[in-house]
Amino acid sequence: MSSAQSSPARATEAYDVVVVGAGFAGMYMLHRLRGLGFSARVYEQGGGVGGTWYWNRYPGARCDVESMQYSYSFSEELEQEWDWSERYAPQPEILKYANHVADLFDLRRDIQFDTRVERAVFAERAKRWSVTTSDGKTVQAQFVVLATGCLSNARKPDIKGLDDFKGPVYHTGNWPHDDVDFTGLRVGLIGTGSSGIQSAPIIAAQAKHLTVFQRTANFSIPARNAALTNEERDAFRENYPEIRRFAREVSRNGIYAEQPDRGALDDSEDTRRAKFKARWDRGGLTFMYVYNNLSLDRAANDTAANYVRGKITEIVKDSATAKLLQPNSHPIGTKRICIDTDYFATFNRSNVSLVDIKANPIEEITANAVRVAGSDHEVDALVMATGFDAMTGSVAKIDISGRGGQTLNQKWAEGPKTYLGLMSAGFPNLFIITGPGSPSVLSNMIVSIEQHVDWIADCLVHMRKQGVAAMEADREAEEKWVAHVNEVAHGTLYPQANSWYMGANVPGKPRIFMPYIGGVGVYRRICDEVAANGYEGFVMERAEQGLTAAAF
């Protein structure tokens, strides 16, 4: 394949691969491509590496996967040398880690920052992509890899009068890079998903008054965050080979944790409560691993949900507020469960109030207030914790045209369609990292990112060896995979929630369950089998031959 061509004599640069995004997916993809001898260029709309962690700088932002596991596994040197300071790493530390990786592997020389990919057009005869960027340049590439991230397209709500508000408006998904000081201000926080739950206690400690506008109460488990000791770090490092193997091959969500061997109703009520208490006291996502049927059986799920509702009642002193904070619209865990530090206790503060906007939606925002049910709640600043156009939003911002001029947005108008979450029929040589139809957001993202990058890298090597010019998903295989993803999802309780997994947080977005819920280990085996069977379900096109089935 060609090497990069970038000289004053040539108007168009050419690469083997263009990668869109320099988050954890884009950085590892670049590292693998270099090692295999492919020329590559990465375009990143932000001013630095880190992806989601570059943009999400809101107060209290931190990962909900323990830091020793939310890390790359491809480099033993990196695993052993990096010291995480806390059980759950805060955003600044994760961003520092991303920058350390970029420095360690000298990645920045092949990344162009502050540059959006605006358009990508596939030329069927040449079997190449023309990629146009926000600086007006068009480059050529045989392959395009979308490493755009699942939670990187912040969603600004359409609320009447929002543009008329005179104070500052912040979005948790696109936070200023300078410190924001809410001291002495009346702050309105709209949204109680993960970012709202993490930021509320921090804002409340600064602000003169914090008003939280809640549409949907969410389940949240205490993080029990703490500094990591040298002994804890060393124990992880010594056991990393087994931890990584388990996360990849055994775990459903890419997290190393005890696996339950029984259902919730197999224990007595006293035993069950004792187990829930132990996990509540331990903190974190493993609360949902107490039993093996919490996502499958509503009666089992209710035992966990009722326990958490009871804890909210214990923590929140005002009974009316406690009742509003108790989730009743969905089974626990069917929206991504949150972890927090003193979220529910924050509502015991005299300077914090909760407004229910499910019963009475926001009517409008005025110059200095949020109007609900005819009452004005005066605020000096607004924080929008309204989430993302998840999984498809960042891809949708790019005008991508495949065979016959069809755009990806046109094809996905009724919901995203992919084969294995890796490719979409009609768009040859266009790969997606952790796309819809893969475990992605239901997993430890770095585990899923590494698996996708390695699969794509192996596939490109296979194509190079076999003289294949273009590859795409077979439409029938794609249809079967989409049906399988939804069939597996509907065998669980997940579709009972109006979650961003279903696109329910974006008005007008098609309701389709986007991630693959079958488990990280199962999914990996499927992908490995597909590759071992000559990339079954994909269609290959040799340089000067017609389309052939994916078998050699």
Side-chain angles (χ1 to χ4, degrees), residues 501-513:
Y501 297 148
M502 300 278 292
N505 65 321
V506 179
K509 189 170 182 175
R511 299 294 189 267
I512 182 172
F513 198 83

Side-chain angles (χ1 to χ4, degrees), residues 444-464:
N444 177 347
M445 284 298 297
I446 296 189
V447 172
S448 289
I449 283 168
E450 287 187 326
Q451 185 255 332
H452 264 196
V453 169
D454 290 340
W455 193 95
I456 293 168
D458 291 345
C459 179
L460 295 185
V461 170
H462 172 86
M463 293 177 69
R464 181 168 60 187

Side-chain angles (χ1 to χ4, degrees), residues 312-322 325 344-345 347-349:
I312 295 170
T313 300
E314 289 179 20
I315 296 168
V316 182
K317 295 175 181 178
D318 180 75
S319 59
T321 301
L325 289 168
F344 295 115
F347 292 92
N348 293 330
R349 297 179 62 108

Side-chain angles (χ1 to χ4, degrees), residues 106-394:
D106 188 26
L107 300 178
R108 287 186 179 84
R109 60 185 169 89
D110 289 320
I111 304 173
Q112 184 171 321
F113 295 107
D114 299 309
T115 307
R116 296 186 316 278
V117 170
E118 296 187 336
R119 192 163 187 245
V121 179
F122 184 71
E124 296 187 48
R125 178 168 293 183
K127 302 178 183 61
R128 298 183 69 80
W129 286 92
S130 293
V131 179
T132 302
T133 52
S134 56
D135 59 356
K137 185 186 296 183
T138 297
V139 301
Q140 303 293 319
Q142 183 172 1
F143 303 98
V144 172
V145 178
L146 298 177
T148 48
C150 299
L151 297 175
S152 54
N153 186 29
R155 191 184 76 82
K156 183 179 178 181
D158 183 17
I159 302 176
K160 179 183 177 182
L162 180 57
D163 293 338
D164 298 328
F165 184 70
K166 290 185 177 179
V169 179
Y170 306 100
H171 194 291
T172 52
N174 192 10
W175 201 260
H177 288 203
D178 299 325
D179 289 338
V180 176
D181 186 2
F182 292 110
T183 302
L185 298 181
R186 299 167 299 177
V187 181
L189 172 63
I190 300 176
T192 53
S194 181
S195 60
I197 284 172
Q198 287 185 332
S199 61
I202 310 296
I203 296 173
Q206 291 182 356
K208 179 180 180 181
H209 190 89
L210 172 65
T211 304
V212 178
F213 297 90
Q214 173 187 275
R215 183 181 63 180
T216 305
N218 268 310
F219 290 101
S220 189
I221 308 299
R224 311 294 186 201
N225 190 39
L228 285 171
T229 65
N230 288 332
E231 291 75 17
E232 287 172 325
R233 281 192 290 262
D234 289 344
F236 249 94
R237 287 175 175 140
E238 290 171 6
N239 199 32
Y240 256 143
E242 172 58 19
I243 289 170
R244 303 302 197 186
R245 184 202 68 80
F246 186 96
R248 297 186 191 111
E249 299 175 11
V250 180
S251 172
R252 291 183 62 84
N253 58 7
I255 295 174
Y256 180 78
E258 305 96 325
Q259 298 298 293
D261 61 358
R262 59 200 294 111
L265 303 180
D266 294 332
D267 280 336
S268 68
E269 183 175 351
D270 288 345
T271 299
R272 198 164 50 238
R273 287 189 62 82
K275 288 184 177 181
F276 284 140
K277 182 181 185 301
R279 290 300 178 94
W280 179 272
D281 292 344
R282 176 181 173 181
L285 296 176
T286 60
F287 180 86
M288 292 301 295
Y289 311 158
V290 180
Y291 293 107
N292 60 18
N293 61 345
L294 295 184
S295 66
L296 303 174
D297 181 84
R298 186 60 187 259
N301 186 281
D302 285 343
T303 65
N306 288 334
Y307 182 86
V308 175
R309 294 186 191 110
K311 298 303 290 186
I312 295 170
T313 300
E314 289 179 20
I315 296 168
V316 182
K317 295 175 181 178
D318 180 75
S319 59
T321 301
K323 187 173 182 180
L324 280 177
L325 289 168
Q326 291 177 341
N328 288 290
S329 64
H330 59 282
I332 187 170
T334 54
K335 291 188 172 188
R336 179 143 182 158
I337 199 165
C338 302
I339 63 170
D340 71 89
T341 300
D342 298 328
Y343 173 67
F344 295 115
T346 295
F347 292 92
N348 293 330
R349 297 179 62 108
S350 61
N351 70 327
V352 177
S353 56
L354 180 66
V355 177
D356 178 16
I357 58 172
K358 185 170 187 177
N360 297 290
I362 294 173
E363 296 172 11
E364 66 176 311
I365 293 176
T366 67
N368 63 350
V370 179
R371 184 169 297 161
V372 178
S375 297
D376 283 357
H377 301 268
E378 294 188 355
V379 292
D380 304 305
L382 282 172
V383 174
M384 299 292 173
T386 48
F388 304 89
D389 185 354
M391 301 196 71
T392 59
S394 296

Side-chain angles (χ1 to χ4, degrees), residues 7-23:
S7 66
R10 292 184 63 88
T12 302
E13 297 174 19
Y15 301 95
D16 294 328
V17 187
V18 161
V19 179
V20 187

